[in-house]
Amino acid sequence: GTAYLRDYPGRCDGRLSFEEFSRVLHSAGVSWLTRDEMQANFDVMDVDKSGYLSLGEVLRVSERMVQRIRQLREFEAALEEREARRGHRHRPLTFAQLIET
């Protein structure tokens, strides 16, 4: 698992502050987001606007990500099938092409 230091050593309620969230992202290799982008993502995930992410809030986002990955795989499979019927080799799509489809 990913180890990180908590902001408040005595607080073990399972919630993440923004600072803890950003440390978790960095330790997981997510280094391309700016602090503002991390804050924006945190704010979207913090549905109850408590300033902390609960397990439920994190799981909701995780579930949506799994759904999006499943949709992407289905889209890629359908695209490959369509291209195979046409006799074309599969060409990688740009992100813009992907979201327009």
Side-chain angles (χ1 to χ4, degrees):
T2 302
Y4 60 93
L5 299 174
R6 299 199 59 93
D7 281 344
Y8 308 103
R11 185 174 56 81
C12 295
D13 61 3
R15 299 181 307 155
L16 291 175
S17 69
F18 172 72
E19 291 303 321
E20 293 165 332
F21 173 75
S22 62
R23 279 200 297 265
V24 168
L25 289 181
H26 279 289
S27 64
V30 179
S31 58
W32 58 88
L33 293 176
T34 67
R35 185 170 179 81
D36 288 343
E37 290 169 329
M38 282 191 280
Q39 184 69 58
N41 282 292
F42 182 89
D43 293 343
V44 168
M45 293 172 68
D46 184 16
V47 176
D48 66 3
K49 304 302 178 204
S50 66
Y52 296 93
L53 296 181
S54 68
L55 179 59
E57 289 168 328
V58 172
L59 289 176
R60 274 191 283 282
V61 170
S62 299
E63 185 177 301
R64 284 196 305 260
M65 288 174 61
V66 168
Q67 290 171 349
R68 295 292 185 242
I69 290 168
R70 188 175 299 123
Q71 289 171 343
L72 177 59
R73 287 182 179 156
E74 291 169 359
F75 171 79
E76 288 175 336
L79 179 64
E80 288 175 9
E81 181 180 321
R82 184 177 72 191
E83 293 298 313
R85 282 193 307 248
R86 292 181 179 173
H88 297 114
R89 287 182 47 224
H90 174 69
R91 289 173 281 151
L93 293 176
T94 66
F95 182 72
Q97 290 170 320
L98 175 65
I99 61 174
E100 289 174 1
T101 305

